[in-house]
Amino acid sequence: MDHVIRSVFSSNRFMTGRILAVAVIGGVFVLEAGSSLIQILGKRILKRKIFAVAPLHLYFQNRGWEEPKIVMRAWLLGVFFAILGLYLAFIR
């Protein structure tokens, strides 16, 4: 099911020409995937970890945050990114 959602967003992105806006709207997912990508590249290129753990939400769990707190902050960040992305898509 996940691949269906990604393909819908990808086709929408190319049809509307709003590539940056779609990336901003999915900002939480970009941060999660980006932290994992940085970790993998760090292991391969530098032969060491960049973060203690990846993806990003596991870092916050290791810092002592409880899961509901992480989820709520991710939702708030997602709302912020959605508003910013819509601003970029329609106002700009």
Side-chain angles (χ1 to χ4, degrees):
M1 185 67 177
D2 186 41
H3 62 285
V4 173
I5 294 171
R6 277 189 260 149
S7 63
V8 168
F9 278 121
S10 296
S11 61
N12 184 28
R13 177 181 65 200
F14 290 117
M15 289 188 310
T16 62
R18 307 282 190 206
I19 297 172
L20 178 63
V22 172
V24 171
I25 290 171
V28 174
F29 303 109
V30 172
L31 288 174
E32 286 283 325
S35 66
S36 295
L37 180 66
I38 290 170
Q39 185 81 314
I40 291 168
L41 291 176
K43 282 182 180 178
R44 288 186 182 176
I45 296 170
L46 302 174
K47 306 295 186 215
R48 66 178 182 89
K49 292 182 176 183
I50 304 297
F51 305 115
V53 292
L56 193 59
H57 69 274
L58 293 178
Y59 171 77
F60 293 124
Q61 281 182 341
N62 281 350
R63 299 278 302 187
W65 288 22
E66 295 180 8
E67 188 174 349
K69 183 177 182 179
I70 297 169
V71 171
M72 183 56 69
R73 299 285 166 88
W75 274 75
L76 291 173
L77 197 57
V79 168
F80 170 75
F81 281 134
I83 292 169
L84 182 62
L86 290 172
Y87 173 78
L88 289 173
F90 294 114
I91 304 298
R92 195 175 146 207

